[in-house]
């Protein structure tokens, strides 16, 4: 089985370097154009099944890269919820926010962002959401989020670098090869 994980295109959050995950923001026009250029230069892998998160930026990315294909929305593949830190930049804002500094200096795996989630719960949610897709054993494409992709790779390949080093750029991602239900390797795409 081949599982292709593609990060959505460029949004305002990417362009402004914001903490965002739960915010349902669309692609920027330049993000749409960048996806079209990537697709023209390097065709993306196709599959038997397509999945997105419930956020509009992933569905927009699917439509640009694959057209009007049938797909399934998987709620658990949403990005990390930064709660009170959503749509805020570190520089000039969060760097001065006492609640943010407290969260960063603590155990972020276990401590939730105020009105958000913790990394441990996020990881559980993502792994539970991907399990039925993997269990089908058929090639699939997931148009999802950078944090979700990094978390999946970090859980499946824990001995290789930090999970955050594998967060793909917008419009790129990885293809993971499975032997049955076991991930055995991955490589970048496109």
């Amino acid at each position: 089985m081949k599982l292709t994980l593609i990060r959505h295109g460029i949004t305002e959050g990417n362009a402004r370097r914001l903490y965002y995950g739960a915010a349902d923001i669309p692609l920027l026009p330049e993000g749409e154009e960048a996806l079209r250029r990537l697709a023209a230069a390097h065709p993306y892998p196709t599959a038997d099944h397509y999945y997105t998160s419930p956020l509009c930026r992933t569905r927009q990315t699917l439509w640009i890269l694959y057209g009007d294909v049938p797909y399934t929305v998987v709620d658990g593949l949403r990005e990390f919820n930064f709660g009170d830190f959503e749509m805020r930049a570190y520089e000039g804002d969060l760097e001065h926010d006492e609640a943010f500094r407290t969260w960063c200096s603590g155990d972020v795996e276990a401590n939730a962002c105020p009105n958000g989630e913790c990394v441990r719960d996020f990881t559980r949610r993502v792994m539970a959401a991907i399990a039925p897709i993997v269990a089908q054993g058929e090639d699939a494409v997931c148009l999802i989020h950078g944090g979700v992709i990094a978390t999946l790779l970090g859980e499946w390949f824990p001995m290789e670098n930090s999970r955050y080093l594998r967060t793909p750029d917008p419009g790129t991602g990885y293809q993971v090869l499975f032997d049955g239900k076991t991930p055995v390797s991955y490589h970048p795409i496109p």
Side-chain angles (χ1 to χ4, degrees), residues 19-61:
Y19 278 79
Y20 77 105
D24 195 10
I25 59 176
L27 299 178
L28 289 174
E30 55 263 41
E32 294 177 9
E33 183 54 37
L35 287 171
R36 288 185 186 92
R37 282 194 309 273
L38 280 170
H42 304 282
Y44 285 81
T46 58
D48 301 317
H49 304 281
Y50 296 86
Y51 301 90
T52 71
S53 84
L55 302 178
C56 68
R57 57 193 181 264
T58 62
R59 292 188 315 275
Q60 289 174 300
T61 300

Side-chain angles (χ1 to χ4, degrees), residues 76-121:
L77 294 178
R78 287 174 285 110
E79 183 60 286
F80 185 81
N81 183 347
F82 288 99
D84 293 350
F85 309 138
E86 286 278 325
M87 297 301 291
R88 295 173 63 189
Y90 174 76
E91 198 168 301
D93 181 3
L94 290 173
E95 67 182 325
H96 305 293
D97 185 307
E98 186 62 36
F100 182 80
R101 288 196 312 242
T102 299
W103 177 67
C104 288
S105 66
D107 180 2
V108 296
E109 292 286 325
N111 297 333
C113 296
N115 297 307
E117 65 186 325
C118 70
V119 172
R120 186 175 10 235
D121 291 345

Side-chain angles (χ1 to χ4, degrees), residues 50 59 62-71:
Y50 296 86
R59 292 188 315 275
L62 172 82
W63 295 325
I64 291 168
L65 298 182
Y66 294 101
D68 191 22
V69 296
Y71 66 98

Side-chain angles (χ1 to χ4, degrees), residues 160-178:
E160 298 176 27
N161 300 322
S162 162
R163 71 175 57 181
Y164 302 106
L165 295 177
R166 292 180 290 211
T167 301
D169 290 333
T172 68
Y174 297 96
Q175 188 168 74
V176 182
L177 301 177
F178 285 78

Side-chain angles (χ1 to χ4, degrees), residues 111-164:
N111 297 333
C113 296
N115 297 307
E117 65 186 325
C118 70
V119 172
R120 186 175 10 235
D121 291 345
F122 170 68
T123 300
R124 284 186 193 125
R125 170 172 57 81
V126 167
M127 296 310 293
I130 203 71
I133 296 169
V134 171
Q136 286 184 13
E138 298 176 352
D139 291 352
V141 172
C142 296
L143 289 295
I144 48 179
H145 308 273
V148 173
I149 294 169
T151 295
L152 291 169
L153 293 179
E155 291 296 302
W156 289 333
F157 304 99
M159 299 305 287
E160 298 176 27
N161 300 322
S162 162
R163 71 175 57 181
Y164 302 106

